[in-house]
Amino acid sequence: MALLQISEPGQSLDPHQRRVAVGIDLGTTHSLVAAVRHGVAECLPAADGRVILPSVVRYLDTAQGGSGRQIGHDALAAQVQDPTNTVSSVKRLMGRSRAQVADVDKLSYNVVDDQGMAVIETVAGRKTPMEVSAEILATLRFRAEDSFDDELFGAVITVPAYFDDAQRQATKDAAQLAGINVLRLINEPTAAAIAYGLDNGSEGVYAIYDLGGGTFDISILRLTRGVFEVMATGGDSALGGDDYDQALAAWVLAQQGISTPLTASERAAVHAEARRCKEALSGLDHNAGEVRFSAQVGGQPLEQCVTPAQFEAVTAALTARTMTAVRKVLRDAGIGKDEVKGVVMVGGSTRMPVIRRTVGAFFGQEPLTNLNPDEVVALGAAIQANALAGNSRDGDLLLLDVIPLSLGIETMGGLVERIVPRNSPIPTALAQDFTTYQDGQTALALHVVQGERDLVADCRSLARFVLRGIPPMAAGAARIRVSFTVDADGLLSVAAKELGSGVEARVDVKPAYGLSDEQIAAMLKDSFATAQQDMQARALVEARVDADRMIAATRSALAADADLLDPAERASIDVLIVALTEVATGADAAAIESATEALAKGTEAFAALRMNRGIQQALAGKRLEEV
Ligand code: ADP
Ligand code: MG
């Protein structure tokens, strides 16, 4: 299914000429960098041989001299000793205000707001989440450059599927601070699916079960014609391997009758030991063996044997919670578990045999586990980076990602006019024409919103801007074209232009704060819950809008690239346009939809030809710049 096949004749794969392009998994607890070498994606180790970099940065008192900060393992080791200056889990702060960070008071460091954005107070001054992430990204960049002995051309960085514009922008800003050219941001579940080569396999629905250190994400993706569409995402932003550690630690303490509160360092030691035991248990057979939990509390040794069965019983409620989220996301996606073609396991915690067994039993199939679950996201990102950098020779696909929530503007009566529908493949550019509603109106206020509901009040406000200097005209005479452009990283810019006079205003949507995971989940849920009511009233309007859009898109495609078609192909498209134009004036939504569908189907081959041409031109342009 070579949708967007890239071939660059004469391109050399000589290692000295290939561009160093990497995939980076910027994780909440761990980060990794991977690259395709000799045709195989692999994670790059640090000088000490370890591939995992703890996503932890410790700031030192610069007044006392020294290098200023520690990153990764060193910082992690210092966390107990210097919790307030050691920043972990910074991903949860990206693109957020303090109030939007769940359990912000439980963090070991102090978070305050600065211009509506969460920042961290450290001994070395205030640090933004972008700066902290940039330290981690720069460390991985240097690792890649050392390992290839060459400069980095660019990176694909992964983000959770539910990340909104603000969080994606913050991630891009962090990369820029680290001096990294971002080839693209892609969704973590999409990267995992790519790592397993699902994009080259059969079309269908896939589930990505990602249980990490502190978060659980479940995503349902649909692969159609080389495009992964996020059908639904869910999970629990406060459920992960750490909770398994805590549950085990609490059980051991209870077994030993210890009820006195622990000191901070005892607590840290007990949790570290619980984690070690948990990981050791993953290597044991369900029915055999045990591990020894051993720590010091109150100057006394704390010893306890733990069997796999005991561990599973103690953590059963946590595992059950993940499965509740799985069932919910399937409901949201509107599919049954037997429709799922493959299940991909991601995240270190999916090494626990009980997770594999539970997930396998639920879906009635063995989940995919043969890739390292810590590495799979970085590996997929590396494959994508390699393709985007033009290194791959043999028909690798350029995968497209999709927009998670619809984008639109407010129109009369507080209604939302959706301009870019949810799940549109990106990059994308869509425009729609509006007009003034008062005679002599010289300014128009535009309100950009994100969400699935029909009322502005139910959606999220992204930005407001005003188009001024419209020449006075009768109501309805001005033609104002509002264009939405979403780049390959999912970032939005909106422009409004009065076509007669050419006056223009635009806004880049870099909102100062994002939505909390709960808010996004709630917005999606709301849209499912109320879809029925909203839908009927809206169906006809939408069908017409889609029809118009489809006609306009086809006309403009024909204007640009009609030479790709032979006369018979051209004639059959013209017939479909006429048929749709006629039916679109009627009141039968279903008929309009099916005529729109017919035109979409009838132009698929043409679209593929155009994409091919576009991409070849884009790459050709890039090569010129390089020379
Ligand atoms: P994140 O995506 O949140 O950065 P990871 O995917 O790296 O996190 O997962 C880290 C979690 O995986 C930790 O809780 C760790 O204890 C757990 N983990 C790693 N190896 C094992 C193992 N062998 N058995 C059970 N849990 C493991
Ligand atoms: Mg992860």
Side-chain angles (χ1 to χ4, degrees), residues 155-242:
V156 167
I157 301 177
T158 58
V159 291
Y162 57 77
F163 256 28
D164 66 12
D165 279 318
Q167 293 167 297
R168 285 168 199 262
Q169 182 63 50
T171 307
K172 269 194 106 176
D173 290 348
Q176 199 181 359
L177 282 176
I180 294 175
N181 166 31
V182 180
L183 299 170
R184 188 169 291 187
L185 302 181
I186 64 171
N187 291 328
E188 288 161 10
T190 305
I194 294 170
Y196 274 102
L198 299 182
D199 48 318
N200 300 316
S202 50
E203 304 201 335
V205 175
Y206 295 91
I208 319 295
Y209 179 107
D210 180 350
L211 188 60
T215 53
F216 172 59
D217 297 316
I218 172 78
S219 312
I220 307 296
L221 304 185
R222 188 191 351 236
L223 177 69
T224 332
R225 292 165 52 83
V227 176
F228 280 110
E229 166 200 348
V230 181
M231 296 177 77
T233 68
D236 190 331
S237 55
L239 174 61
D242 297 345

Side-chain angles (χ1 to χ4, degrees), residues 300-330:
Q300 300 291 314
L302 173 65
E303 302 278 340
Q304 170 79 41
C305 286
V306 189
T307 66
Q310 283 168 331
F311 174 72
E312 286 171 19
V314 162
T315 57
L318 300 171
T319 306
R321 265 168 71 193
T322 72
M323 297 316 292
T324 305
V326 170
R327 277 189 286 272
K328 179 174 175 307
V329 83
L330 287 171

Side-chain angles (χ1 to χ4, degrees), residues 27-30 212-214 241-242 275 278-279 282 347-349 351-352:
T28 311
T29 26
H30 296 138
D242 297 345
R275 177 171 173 164
K278 171 192 74 175
E279 295 180 4
S282 294
S349 300
R351 285 215 182 77
M352 290 187 279

Side-chain angles (χ1 to χ4, degrees), residues 25-32 52-53 55 91 188 210-217 240-245 274-283 311 346-353 373-375 377:
D25 173 4
L26 185 60
T28 311
T29 26
H30 296 138
S31 296
L32 297 96
I52 282 181
L53 179 73
S55 305
K91 188 168 174 179
E188 288 161 10
D210 180 350
L211 188 60
T215 53
F216 172 59
D217 297 316
D242 297 345
D243 298 288
Y244 284 76
D245 305 346
R275 177 171 173 164
R276 189 196 63 77
C277 287
K278 171 192 74 175
E279 295 180 4
L281 281 162
S282 294
F311 174 72
V346 183
S349 300
T350 62
R351 285 215 182 77
M352 290 187 279
D374 304 320
E375 298 184 354
V377 168

